[in-house]
Amino acid sequence: MFQFNYVKAKSLSDAQALIAANPDAKLLSGGMTLIPTLKQRLAQPSHLVDIGGLSELRGIEVNDAQLVIGAATRHHDVATSPVVKKTLPALASLAYQIGDPQVRNRGTLGGSIANNDPAADYPAAVLALDATIVTNKREIGASDFFQGMFATALEEGEIVVRVRFNIPKRAAYEKFAHPASGYAMAGVFVADGSAGLRVAVTGAASGVFRWSEAEQALTKKLNFAALEGLPLDLTNMNEDIHATREYRANLARVMTKRALLNMLAQK
Amino acid sequence: MTKIELTVNGTTHSREVEDRALLVDVLRDHLQLTGTHIGCDTSQCGCCTVHVDGRAVKSCTMLAVQAAGADIVTIEGLSNGDQLHPVQQAFTDCHALQCGFCTPGMIMAISAFLKDNPHPTDDEIYHGLEGNLCRCTGYINIVKAVKRSAKLMK
């Protein structure tokens, strides 16, 4: 790692001031992506501003048919929260499938979505549930937030504070995890909620996306057969040593079916 | 450099460390607690697993400064004097190791896992061991040891 100065923010406003005063500073939450990145010398921040311990960024609560989760809430806490398990079990299940236990004990919701790794799990839920990302400056809708591989609508100095998930009637997440890394080769979050029927796919393409053909077909007829033979655009599919475009597209289709079956089995 | 206090295995240490120092390096090089191993150094193998405030973490992917003020337990602090921790005892009983390199991390991960889930199913055990790699025993005896640990801890 290159040298940097570590500063533990005392509050959100303190973090904001530190980031504003140091243009080459980076925010540190769980560090599950940032620390490996620093170890590979792929980044050289002047400061690391640690917001992982801020109580303002922690917590899980239900408010007006929305599940509100603080940005620095750890994956383990989401996976095991009785509130999440009761109101949005698909999200608890998603969090339980992230990385491994040690990673879930450190990694955070805000860190995951701010990083927007194309194979991260949370973006699929955020998009499928039409969640609102609340920052220190504004509120951003999920469809505006994710802007392709590692890109988001966040501006310099903008800090994710919490995420408001619309609680759906029912939802499910299924992923085909890469056996070594645990990252999604394809992960699909299907939600039947106030925003209609939504299908969000992560891992398969350069960024999380909604499979609109599947959404339309399932809106007409909410069953398994509706997914047969539906087109899935290969243009943006990832192709690497792990899988071809066609294979990833097929995984996305199969995960959509599994998520649908899982969702339809719920009451 | 930053001065930090770490409580490790019940003893509070005060050390001046580089801001970029990893927790595992401070444990091993500053406190000579070399039972915590560095395997992959890329947060995959879990050999460096320790407990920070009761939760299992990979100490190769945490800065020592992040752990300032935390209560840390390493493999050296798990037993009660000469009385092995149930997971250590179960690893001995089930011969859950061959070369032993991954063992400290395995034991730290499993002891934390069983606190959350004292009666795990096979699938929960496999899921709970996702963060730890063993390159020689093939996991069969490790899974047996998890079950035996659960019995011993009753």
Side-chain angles (χ1 to χ4, degrees):
Chain A
M1 273 185 274
F2 295 113
Q3 295 274 12
F4 53 76
N5 295 301
Y6 170 89
V7 197
K8 196 165 220 147
K10 293 179 187 71
S11 64
L12 184 58
S13 55
D14 185 33
Q16 206 169 307
L18 285 162
I19 283 282
N22 301 286
D24 291 327
K26 270 196 182 297
L27 294 164
L28 172 67
S29 184
M32 292 296 95
T33 300
L34 182 54
I35 293 175
T37 306
L38 294 172
K39 287 170 78 172
Q40 291 181 68
R41 296 194 168 189
L42 293 173
Q44 191 171 8
S46 64
H47 295 72
L48 286 189
V49 178
D50 189 351
I51 54 172
L54 293 179
S55 56
E56 296 162 85
L57 303 187
R58 287 279 181 99
I60 297 171
E61 60 178 31
V62 174
N63 208 336
D64 286 341
Q66 288 186 315
L67 178 65
V68 186
I69 304 183
T73 307
R74 313 245 183 240
H75 306 325
H76 169 83
D77 297 328
V78 175
T80 57
S81 155
V83 175
V84 181
K85 282 181 168 176
K86 183 160 177 261
T87 56
L88 224 171
L91 193 68
S93 160
L94 176 147
Y96 182 67
Q97 295 178 56
I98 297 173
D100 58 47
Q102 293 94 322
V103 167
R104 291 194 291 278
N105 281 334
R106 297 291 304 159
T108 66
L109 166 62
S112 170
I113 63 168
N115 188 48
N116 192 19
D117 188 302
D121 298 283
Y122 268 128
V126 170
L127 192 57
L129 295 167
D130 195 27
T132 303
I133 293 94
V134 181
T135 75
N136 56 335
K137 295 181 177 169
R138 60 190 165 137
E139 298 191 352
I140 310 170
S143 36
D144 297 324
F145 185 82
F146 299 111
Q147 302 189 345
M149 194 176 280
F150 297 110
T152 68
L154 291 171
E155 290 165 2
E156 289 298 321
E158 194 164 14
I159 304 171
V160 179
V161 177
R162 67 186 79 92
V163 179
R164 294 201 309 254
F165 294 93
N166 295 308
I167 297 173
K169 285 199 279 280
R170 49 191 176 166
Y173 179 68
E174 292 287 341
K175 83 161 159 176
F176 189 95
H178 185 279
S181 70
Y183 273 110
M185 300 275 287
V188 178
F189 201 102
V190 177
D192 180 11
S194 55
L197 198 291
R198 283 201 175 196
V199 178
V201 182
T202 191
S206 56
V208 65
F209 69 95
R210 284 170 61 191
W211 185 10
S212 49
E213 288 88 349
E215 292 182 354
Q216 286 156 17
L218 292 171
T219 302
K220 280 189 204 132
K221 213 168 182 191
L222 192 56
N223 68 21
F224 197 77
L227 292 167
E228 290 301 338
L230 277 185
L232 180 53
D233 187 13
L234 291 181
T235 327
N236 289 321
M237 288 289 162
N238 293 329
E239 186 156 71
D240 54 30
I241 55 164
H242 307 305
T244 60
R245 283 188 179 83
E246 290 77 10
Y247 188 80
R248 276 207 165 78
N250 190 56
L251 281 180
R253 190 184 300 276
V254 174
M255 292 306 117
T256 306
K257 288 178 178 174
R258 287 188 188 172
L260 182 67
L261 282 179
N262 179 338
M263 187 179 88
L264 293 176
Q266 298 163 24
K267 287 200 180 130
Chain B
M1 301 287 279
T2 298
K3 193 168 184 183
I4 57 166
E5 277 197 358
L6 299 175
T7 302
V8 184
N9 304 330
T11 308
T12 302
H13 303 270
S14 181
R15 288 288 187 282
E16 186 109 349
V17 301
E18 273 197 298
D19 288 14
R20 62 178 172 175
L22 297 169
L23 177 58
V24 69
D25 291 327
V26 171
L27 292 172
R28 290 176 55 86
D29 300 341
H30 291 239
L31 304 178
Q32 283 73 50
L33 293 169
T34 52
T36 302
H37 291 169
I38 301 172
C40 67
D41 199 23
T42 55
S43 55
Q44 297 180 62
C45 78
C47 286
C48 63
T49 301
V50 300
H51 299 175
V52 175
D53 292 329
R55 311 280 335 153
V57 307
K58 293 178 177 176
S59 60
C60 81
T61 310
M62 182 170 185
L63 303 170
V65 286
Q66 285 179 287
D71 188 19
I72 295 164
V73 178
T74 68
I75 189 71
E76 290 90 345
L78 205 59
S79 68
N80 182 9
D82 287 342
Q83 171 100 37
L84 292 179
H85 184 279
V87 181
Q88 294 174 310
Q89 186 60 53
F91 264 64
T92 309
D93 297 347
C94 301
H95 190 56
L97 58 97
Q98 200 170 84
C99 85
F101 193 82
C102 71
T103 309
M106 284 281 179
I107 290 176
M108 296 313 286
I110 293 162
S111 55
F113 167 70
L114 288 171
K115 268 196 285 182
D116 283 346
N117 190 347
H119 310 291
T121 63
D122 284 10
D123 278 347
E124 287 167 348
I125 293 173
Y126 305 148
H127 194 71
L129 288 175
E130 276 284 321
N132 293 77
L133 298 177
C134 167
R135 299 291 77 173
C136 39
T137 74
Y139 302 101
I140 301 293
N141 286 357
I142 293 174
V143 172
K144 277 187 197 159
V146 178
K147 293 179 185 172
R148 171 129 183 93
S149 306
K151 268 193 198 139
L152 292 175
M153 287 164 92
K154 261 185 198 166

PDB file of all heavy atoms in Angstrom, chain A residues 41-66:
ATOM      1  N   ARG A  41      -2.131  -1.465  -4.876  1.00  0.00           N
ATOM      2  CA  ARG A  41      -1.671  -0.142  -5.322  1.00  0.00           C
ATOM      3  C   ARG A  41      -2.441   0.353  -6.545  1.00  0.00           C
ATOM      4  O   ARG A  41      -1.874   0.973  -7.447  1.00  0.00           O
ATOM      5  CB  ARG A  41      -0.162  -0.164  -5.612  1.00  0.00           C
ATOM      6  CG  ARG A  41       0.652  -0.445  -4.368  1.00  0.00           C
ATOM      7  CD  ARG A  41       2.102  -0.135  -4.582  1.00  0.00           C
ATOM      8  NE  ARG A  41       2.819  -0.136  -3.307  1.00  0.00           N
ATOM      9  CZ  ARG A  41       4.070   0.261  -3.161  1.00  0.00           C
ATOM     10  NH1 ARG A  41       4.754   0.695  -4.203  1.00  0.00           N
ATOM     11  NH2 ARG A  41       4.650   0.238  -1.991  1.00  0.00           N
ATOM     12  N   LEU A  42      -3.716   0.067  -6.541  1.00  0.00           N
ATOM     13  CA  LEU A  42      -4.559   0.551  -7.640  1.00  0.00           C
ATOM     14  C   LEU A  42      -5.179   1.900  -7.299  1.00  0.00           C
ATOM     15  O   LEU A  42      -5.884   2.485  -8.105  1.00  0.00           O
ATOM     16  CB  LEU A  42      -5.666  -0.469  -7.951  1.00  0.00           C
ATOM     17  CG  LEU A  42      -5.177  -1.801  -8.527  1.00  0.00           C
ATOM     18  CD1 LEU A  42      -6.314  -2.804  -8.639  1.00  0.00           C
ATOM     19  CD2 LEU A  42      -4.524  -1.595  -9.888  1.00  0.00           C
ATOM     20  N   ALA A  43      -4.956   2.354  -6.081  1.00  0.00           N
ATOM     21  CA  ALA A  43      -5.455   3.674  -5.679  1.00  0.00           C
ATOM     22  C   ALA A  43      -4.435   4.291  -4.745  1.00  0.00           C
ATOM     23  O   ALA A  43      -3.704   3.575  -4.053  1.00  0.00           O
ATOM     24  CB  ALA A  43      -6.808   3.532  -4.982  1.00  0.00           C
ATOM     25  N   GLN A  44      -4.382   5.596  -4.756  1.00  0.00           N
ATOM     26  CA  GLN A  44      -3.423   6.294  -3.900  1.00  0.00           C
ATOM     27  C   GLN A  44      -4.090   7.504  -3.243  1.00  0.00           C
ATOM     28  O   GLN A  44      -3.784   8.648  -3.566  1.00  0.00           O
ATOM     29  CB  GLN A  44      -2.205   6.741  -4.737  1.00  0.00           C
ATOM     30  CG  GLN A  44      -1.063   7.229  -3.895  1.00  0.00           C
ATOM     31  CD  GLN A  44       0.198   7.463  -4.711  1.00  0.00           C
ATOM     32  OE1 GLN A  44       0.193   7.405  -5.940  1.00  0.00           O
ATOM     33  NE2 GLN A  44       1.299   7.735  -4.027  1.00  0.00           N
ATOM     34  N   PRO A  45      -4.999   7.236  -2.320  1.00  0.00           N
ATOM     35  CA  PRO A  45      -5.657   8.373  -1.652  1.00  0.00           C
ATOM     36  C   PRO A  45      -4.702   9.068  -0.672  1.00  0.00           C
ATOM     37  O   PRO A  45      -3.804   8.424  -0.131  1.00  0.00           O
ATOM     38  CB  PRO A  45      -6.815   7.712  -0.901  1.00  0.00           C
ATOM     39  CG  PRO A  45      -6.389   6.302  -0.708  1.00  0.00           C
ATOM     40  CD  PRO A  45      -5.467   5.945  -1.832  1.00  0.00           C
ATOM     41  N   SER A  46      -4.924  10.363  -0.488  1.00  0.00           N
ATOM     42  CA  SER A  46      -4.106  11.089   0.498  1.00  0.00           C
ATOM     43  C   SER A  46      -4.580  10.748   1.908  1.00  0.00           C
ATOM     44  O   SER A  46      -3.792  10.657   2.835  1.00  0.00           O
ATOM     45  CB  SER A  46      -4.218  12.600   0.269  1.00  0.00           C
ATOM     46  OG  SER A  46      -5.564  13.024   0.492  1.00  0.00           O
ATOM     47  N   HIS A  47      -5.889  10.594   2.040  1.00  0.00           N
ATOM     48  CA  HIS A  47      -6.500  10.300   3.337  1.00  0.00           C
ATOM     49  C   HIS A  47      -7.545   9.202   3.178  1.00  0.00           C
ATOM     50  O   HIS A  47      -8.196   9.124   2.142  1.00  0.00           O
ATOM     51  CB  HIS A  47      -7.233  11.533   3.897  1.00  0.00           C
ATOM     52  CG  HIS A  47      -6.333  12.676   4.216  1.00  0.00           C
ATOM     53  ND1 HIS A  47      -5.734  13.445   3.242  1.00  0.00           N
ATOM     54  CD2 HIS A  47      -5.932  13.184   5.412  1.00  0.00           C
ATOM     55  CE1 HIS A  47      -4.989  14.383   3.829  1.00  0.00           C
ATOM     56  NE2 HIS A  47      -5.096  14.246   5.145  1.00  0.00           N
ATOM     57  N   LEU A  48      -7.703   8.430   4.221  1.00  0.00           N
ATOM     58  CA  LEU A  48      -8.872   7.561   4.310  1.00  0.00           C
ATOM     59  C   LEU A  48      -9.732   8.116   5.425  1.00  0.00           C
ATOM     60  O   LEU A  48      -9.274   8.239   6.561  1.00  0.00           O
ATOM     61  CB  LEU A  48      -8.481   6.117   4.651  1.00  0.00           C
ATOM     62  CG  LEU A  48      -7.831   5.273   3.563  1.00  0.00           C
ATOM     63  CD1 LEU A  48      -7.727   3.832   4.038  1.00  0.00           C
ATOM     64  CD2 LEU A  48      -8.597   5.333   2.253  1.00  0.00           C
ATOM     65  N   VAL A  49     -10.948   8.474   5.082  1.00  0.00           N
ATOM     66  CA  VAL A  49     -11.876   9.005   6.078  1.00  0.00           C
ATOM     67  C   VAL A  49     -12.815   7.867   6.465  1.00  0.00           C
ATOM     68  O   VAL A  49     -13.646   7.446   5.665  1.00  0.00           O
ATOM     69  CB  VAL A  49     -12.658  10.211   5.513  1.00  0.00           C
ATOM     70  CG1 VAL A  49     -13.662  10.716   6.532  1.00  0.00           C
ATOM     71  CG2 VAL A  49     -11.686  11.315   5.091  1.00  0.00           C
ATOM     72  N   ASP A  50     -12.659   7.378   7.679  1.00  0.00           N
ATOM     73  CA  ASP A  50     -13.402   6.188   8.118  1.00  0.00           C
ATOM     74  C   ASP A  50     -14.779   6.586   8.640  1.00  0.00           C
ATOM     75  O   ASP A  50     -14.913   7.264   9.655  1.00  0.00           O
ATOM     76  CB  ASP A  50     -12.605   5.473   9.221  1.00  0.00           C
ATOM     77  CG  ASP A  50     -13.203   4.109   9.580  1.00  0.00           C
ATOM     78  OD1 ASP A  50     -14.310   3.801   9.114  1.00  0.00           O
ATOM     79  OD2 ASP A  50     -12.539   3.374  10.343  1.00  0.00           O
ATOM     80  N   ILE A  51     -15.805   6.158   7.892  1.00  0.00           N
ATOM     81  CA  ILE A  51     -17.179   6.451   8.312  1.00  0.00           C
ATOM     82  C   ILE A  51     -17.887   5.174   8.778  1.00  0.00           C
ATOM     83  O   ILE A  51     -19.079   5.198   9.093  1.00  0.00           O
ATOM     84  CB  ILE A  51     -17.998   7.109   7.165  1.00  0.00           C
ATOM     85  CG1 ILE A  51     -17.952   6.245   5.888  1.00  0.00           C
ATOM     86  CG2 ILE A  51     -17.474   8.509   6.881  1.00  0.00           C
ATOM     87  CD1 ILE A  51     -18.880   6.731   4.790  1.00  0.00           C
ATOM     88  N   GLY A  52     -17.137   4.079   8.833  1.00  0.00           N
ATOM     89  CA  GLY A  52     -17.736   2.782   9.145  1.00  0.00           C
ATOM     90  C   GLY A  52     -18.358   2.697  10.530  1.00  0.00           C
ATOM     91  O   GLY A  52     -19.256   1.901  10.752  1.00  0.00           O
ATOM     92  N   GLY A  53     -17.865   3.520  11.454  1.00  0.00           N
ATOM     93  CA  GLY A  53     -18.358   3.410  12.821  1.00  0.00           C
ATOM     94  C   GLY A  53     -19.397   4.453  13.195  1.00  0.00           C
ATOM     95  O   GLY A  53     -19.816   4.528  14.357  1.00  0.00           O
ATOM     96  N   LEU A  54     -19.818   5.268  12.234  1.00  0.00           N
ATOM     97  CA  LEU A  54     -20.739   6.365  12.575  1.00  0.00           C
ATOM     98  C   LEU A  54     -22.143   5.844  12.869  1.00  0.00           C
ATOM     99  O   LEU A  54     -22.771   5.215  12.016  1.00  0.00           O
ATOM    100  CB  LEU A  54     -20.807   7.382  11.426  1.00  0.00           C
ATOM    101  CG  LEU A  54     -19.530   8.177  11.144  1.00  0.00           C
ATOM    102  CD1 LEU A  54     -19.756   9.124   9.968  1.00  0.00           C
ATOM    103  CD2 LEU A  54     -19.097   8.955  12.383  1.00  0.00           C
ATOM    104  N   SER A  55     -22.638   6.152  14.051  1.00  0.00           N
ATOM    105  CA  SER A  55     -23.967   5.649  14.421  1.00  0.00           C
ATOM    106  C   SER A  55     -25.050   6.276  13.541  1.00  0.00           C
ATOM    107  O   SER A  55     -26.102   5.682  13.319  1.00  0.00           O
ATOM    108  CB  SER A  55     -24.245   5.898  15.900  1.00  0.00           C
ATOM    109  OG  SER A  55     -24.113   7.267  16.173  1.00  0.00           O
ATOM    110  N   GLU A  56     -24.783   7.488  13.017  1.00  0.00           N
ATOM    111  CA  GLU A  56     -25.758   8.143  12.114  1.00  0.00           C
ATOM    112  C   GLU A  56     -25.996   7.316  10.855  1.00  0.00           C
ATOM    113  O   GLU A  56     -26.997   7.501  10.162  1.00  0.00           O
ATOM    114  CB  GLU A  56     -25.224   9.498  11.632  1.00  0.00           C
ATOM    115  CG  GLU A  56     -25.030  10.518  12.709  1.00  0.00           C
ATOM    116  CD  GLU A  56     -24.093  11.634  12.225  1.00  0.00           C
ATOM    117  OE1 GLU A  56     -24.593  12.578  11.588  1.00  0.00           O
ATOM    118  OE2 GLU A  56     -22.882  11.540  12.480  1.00  0.00           O
ATOM    119  N   LEU A  57     -25.022   6.478  10.529  1.00  0.00           N
ATOM    120  CA  LEU A  57     -25.125   5.693   9.291  1.00  0.00           C
ATOM    121  C   LEU A  57     -25.549   4.254   9.561  1.00  0.00           C
ATOM    122  O   LEU A  57     -25.526   3.420   8.669  1.00  0.00           O
ATOM    123  CB  LEU A  57     -23.781   5.685   8.550  1.00  0.00           C
ATOM    124  CG  LEU A  57     -23.162   7.021   8.169  1.00  0.00           C
ATOM    125  CD1 LEU A  57     -21.927   6.811   7.302  1.00  0.00           C
ATOM    126  CD2 LEU A  57     -24.162   7.888   7.413  1.00  0.00           C
ATOM    127  N   ARG A  58     -25.896   3.957  10.800  1.00  0.00           N
ATOM    128  CA  ARG A  58     -26.246   2.592  11.143  1.00  0.00           C
ATOM    129  C   ARG A  58     -27.744   2.479  11.376  1.00  0.00           C
ATOM    130  O   ARG A  58     -28.410   3.476  11.646  1.00  0.00           O
ATOM    131  CB  ARG A  58     -25.532   2.173  12.446  1.00  0.00           C
ATOM    132  CG  ARG A  58     -24.046   1.935  12.307  1.00  0.00           C
ATOM    133  CD  ARG A  58     -23.775   0.560  11.746  1.00  0.00           C
ATOM    134  NE  ARG A  58     -22.349   0.311  11.637  1.00  0.00           N
ATOM    135  CZ  ARG A  58     -21.641  -0.382  12.522  1.00  0.00           C
ATOM    136  NH1 ARG A  58     -22.227  -0.883  13.575  1.00  0.00           N
ATOM    137  NH2 ARG A  58     -20.351  -0.568  12.344  1.00  0.00           N
ATOM    138  N   GLY A  59     -28.228   1.277  11.349  1.00  0.00           N
ATOM    139  CA  GLY A  59     -29.596   1.041  11.802  1.00  0.00           C
ATOM    140  C   GLY A  59     -30.521   0.513  10.729  1.00  0.00           C
ATOM    141  O   GLY A  59     -30.304   0.686   9.527  1.00  0.00           O
ATOM    142  N   ILE A  60     -31.549  -0.176  11.209  1.00  0.00           N
ATOM    143  CA  ILE A  60     -32.551  -0.794  10.339  1.00  0.00           C
ATOM    144  C   ILE A  60     -33.911  -0.468  10.936  1.00  0.00           C
ATOM    145  O   ILE A  60     -34.153  -0.747  12.115  1.00  0.00           O
ATOM    146  CB  ILE A  60     -32.353  -2.330  10.321  1.00  0.00           C
ATOM    147  CG1 ILE A  60     -30.974  -2.692   9.730  1.00  0.00           C
ATOM    148  CG2 ILE A  60     -33.493  -3.013   9.558  1.00  0.00           C
ATOM    149  CD1 ILE A  60     -30.602  -4.161   9.865  1.00  0.00           C
ATOM    150  N   GLU A  61     -34.788   0.170  10.143  1.00  0.00           N
ATOM    151  CA  GLU A  61     -36.124   0.434  10.675  1.00  0.00           C
ATOM    152  C   GLU A  61     -37.160   0.456   9.553  1.00  0.00           C
ATOM    153  O   GLU A  61     -36.825   0.657   8.387  1.00  0.00           O
ATOM    154  CB  GLU A  61     -36.159   1.738  11.473  1.00  0.00           C
ATOM    155  CG  GLU A  61     -35.786   2.954  10.660  1.00  0.00           C
ATOM    156  CD  GLU A  61     -35.867   4.245  11.466  1.00  0.00           C
ATOM    157  OE1 GLU A  61     -35.629   4.209  12.682  1.00  0.00           O
ATOM    158  OE2 GLU A  61     -36.184   5.278  10.863  1.00  0.00           O
ATOM    159  N   VAL A  62     -38.404   0.252   9.946  1.00  0.00           N
ATOM    160  CA  VAL A  62     -39.498   0.317   8.982  1.00  0.00           C
ATOM    161  C   VAL A  62     -40.219   1.639   9.187  1.00  0.00           C
ATOM    162  O   VAL A  62     -40.522   2.035  10.303  1.00  0.00           O
ATOM    163  CB  VAL A  62     -40.485  -0.859   9.181  1.00  0.00           C
ATOM    164  CG1 VAL A  62     -41.693  -0.706   8.265  1.00  0.00           C
ATOM    165  CG2 VAL A  62     -39.781  -2.178   8.896  1.00  0.00           C
ATOM    166  N   ASN A  63     -40.439   2.321   8.057  1.00  0.00           N
ATOM    167  CA  ASN A  63     -41.035   3.635   8.115  1.00  0.00           C
ATOM    168  C   ASN A  63     -41.930   3.812   6.890  1.00  0.00           C
ATOM    169  O   ASN A  63     -41.438   3.777   5.763  1.00  0.00           O
ATOM    170  CB  ASN A  63     -39.893   4.671   8.083  1.00  0.00           C
ATOM    171  CG  ASN A  63     -40.276   5.942   8.785  1.00  0.00           C
ATOM    172  OD1 ASN A  63     -41.457   6.254   8.898  1.00  0.00           O
ATOM    173  ND2 ASN A  63     -39.276   6.674   9.255  1.00  0.00           N
ATOM    174  N   ASP A  64     -43.239   3.974   7.068  1.00  0.00           N
ATOM    175  CA  ASP A  64     -44.156   4.206   5.945  1.00  0.00           C
ATOM    176  C   ASP A  64     -43.998   3.198   4.812  1.00  0.00           C
ATOM    177  O   ASP A  64     -43.734   3.580   3.669  1.00  0.00           O
ATOM    178  CB  ASP A  64     -43.931   5.613   5.361  1.00  0.00           C
ATOM    179  CG  ASP A  64     -44.498   6.685   6.264  1.00  0.00           C
ATOM    180  OD1 ASP A  64     -45.343   6.342   7.111  1.00  0.00           O
ATOM    181  OD2 ASP A  64     -44.062   7.849   6.132  1.00  0.00           O
ATOM    182  N   ALA A  65     -44.152   1.940   5.106  1.00  0.00           N
ATOM    183  CA  ALA A  65     -44.061   0.873   4.091  1.00  0.00           C
ATOM    184  C   ALA A  65     -42.699   0.823   3.404  1.00  0.00           C
ATOM    185  O   ALA A  65     -42.563   0.300   2.306  1.00  0.00           O
ATOM    186  CB  ALA A  65     -45.170   0.999   3.054  1.00  0.00           C
ATOM    187  N   GLN A  66     -41.710   1.428   4.054  1.00  0.00           N
ATOM    188  CA  GLN A  66     -40.356   1.324   3.516  1.00  0.00           C
ATOM    189  C   GLN A  66     -39.433   0.760   4.583  1.00  0.00           C
ATOM    190  O   GLN A  66     -39.596   1.037   5.779  1.00  0.00           O
ATOM    191  CB  GLN A  66     -39.848   2.699   3.072  1.00  0.00           C
ATOM    192  CG  GLN A  66     -40.542   3.197   1.806  1.00  0.00           C
ATOM    193  CD  GLN A  66     -39.921   4.474   1.307  1.00  0.00           C
ATOM    194  OE1 GLN A  66     -39.658   5.386   2.090  1.00  0.00           O
ATOM    195  NE2 GLN A  66     -39.668   4.538   0.008  1.00  0.00           N
TER     196      GLN A  66
END
